[in-house]
Amino acid sequence: MTGRNRQVTDSTVSDERAQDRNAGERRTGDRRGDAPRAGERRPRGRLKLLLLFLVLASPIAASYYTYYVLRPDGRTNYGTLVEQRPVDALGGAPVVGDVRTLGELRGRWVMLVVAPSDCDDGCRRRLYHVRQVRLTAGKERDRVQRVWLLPDAGTPDPGLLAEHEGLLVIRAPAQAIATSLPATETTSVSDHIWLIDPLGHLMMRFPRDADPSRIKKDLAKVLRASGIG
């Protein structure tokens, strides 16, 4: 082989090797491009968590929106829609039942009464009303749990408790109750019946000496509008 031929051959081999290297680099780059970088995976994970939260919360949001925004003209609610706030930490020690805090009742609507253990006539009337309102919900009544919060260290009358099968009684600090449940300027926390949504948020406050037939209508509306609880 002449010197000129060897030069041509060497040049051809060098060109082929360079092309092979470039092709290998392109394939490696493609594979790297296919694999998401760590910085890209984190935002995707956060997005999935956000979407999951929205899916879980959307039925509750729908009940608020449908009931309070899209209601037809002339339709009014009886209970007062209060500032939404988490109250699932309320509680402390079970008195009747084994539930310590309202957070353990997530997934159900809660009708809440607050009263001292000696339970005067107004307390007894409110306990009776929440019992009867729940019963009128018919097949939906299992979505509703009744709770009596005790702000003192006393023991309720066993005869009274016997009249309210299924009622949960939980002892809670009086200060925590007063902070979590906003009464009006002319009422106390114990004057009201309270409604808590299945996510553990305070939703509604019914007036002092509330009309149970009107409470029943409000409860039926939120149960109908909500897909969970």
Side-chain angles (χ1 to χ4, degrees), residues 152-226:
D152 61 25
T155 302
D157 176 12
L160 174 62
L161 296 176
E163 298 174 7
H164 296 278
E165 182 179 357
L167 174 70
L168 296 176
V169 183
I170 305 172
R171 200 180 313 279
Q175 184 58 45
I177 294 174
T179 302
S180 301
L181 304 177
T184 70
E185 293 181 357
T186 58
T187 62
S188 66
V189 171
S190 60
D191 287 328
H192 302 280
I193 293 171
W194 306 84
L195 184 65
I196 299 167
D197 73 26
L199 294 181
H201 295 142
L202 182 63
M203 179 183 180
M204 192 179 290
R205 178 186 64 220
F206 293 101
R208 179 168 49 191
D209 300 323
D211 181 348
S213 64
R214 299 182 70 180
I215 298 176
K216 169 191 169 183
K217 292 178 181 178
D218 276 1
L219 180 64
K221 290 168 187 173
V222 296
L223 290 176
R224 187 165 55 247
S226 170

Side-chain angles (χ1 to χ4, degrees), residues 73-221:
D73 292 341
R75 184 180 112 186
T76 58
N77 52 288
Y78 180 54
T80 300
L81 182 67
V82 296
E83 179 186 357
Q84 189 180 30
R85 63 181 69 182
V87 292
D88 48 2
L90 266 182
V95 178
V96 176
D98 57 1
V99 173
R100 293 180 175 276
T101 67
L102 296 181
E104 296 176 43
L105 298 174
R106 279 198 173 204
R108 302 177 74 180
W109 292 89
V110 173
M111 297 192 73
L112 181 69
V113 171
V114 179
S117 55
D118 56 9
C119 195
D120 61 14
D121 289 343
C123 163
R124 290 172 181 264
R125 186 167 54 251
R126 284 185 289 277
L127 290 176
Y128 174 77
H129 286 166
V130 297
R131 186 188 72 188
Q132 296 306 111
V133 167
R134 177 182 175 274
L135 288 175
T136 61
K139 65 181 181 180
E140 303 291 339
R141 65 180 179 271
D142 289 339
R143 299 171 63 189
V144 182
Q145 176 63 56
R146 295 166 295 136
V147 175
W148 175 6
L149 277 186
L150 290 180
D152 61 25
T155 302
D157 176 12
L160 174 62
L161 296 176
E163 298 174 7
H164 296 278
E165 182 179 357
L167 174 70
L168 296 176
V169 183
I170 305 172
R171 200 180 313 279
Q175 184 58 45
I177 294 174
T179 302
S180 301
L181 304 177
T184 70
E185 293 181 357
T186 58
T187 62
S188 66
V189 171
S190 60
D191 287 328
H192 302 280
I193 293 171
W194 306 84
L195 184 65
I196 299 167
D197 73 26
L199 294 181
H201 295 142
L202 182 63
M203 179 183 180
M204 192 179 290
R205 178 186 64 220
F206 293 101
R208 179 168 49 191
D209 300 323
D211 181 348
S213 64
R214 299 182 70 180
I215 298 176
K216 169 191 169 183
K217 292 178 181 178
D218 276 1
L219 180 64
K221 290 168 187 173

Side-chain angles (χ1 to χ4, degrees), residues 36-54:
R37 292 187 294 272
E40 295 174 346
R41 287 196 296 268
R42 283 194 295 271
R44 291 179 185 175
R46 295 191 190 103
L47 179 59
K48 289 179 180 178
L49 288 175
L50 176 60
L51 291 174
L52 178 61
F53 173 79
L54 291 175

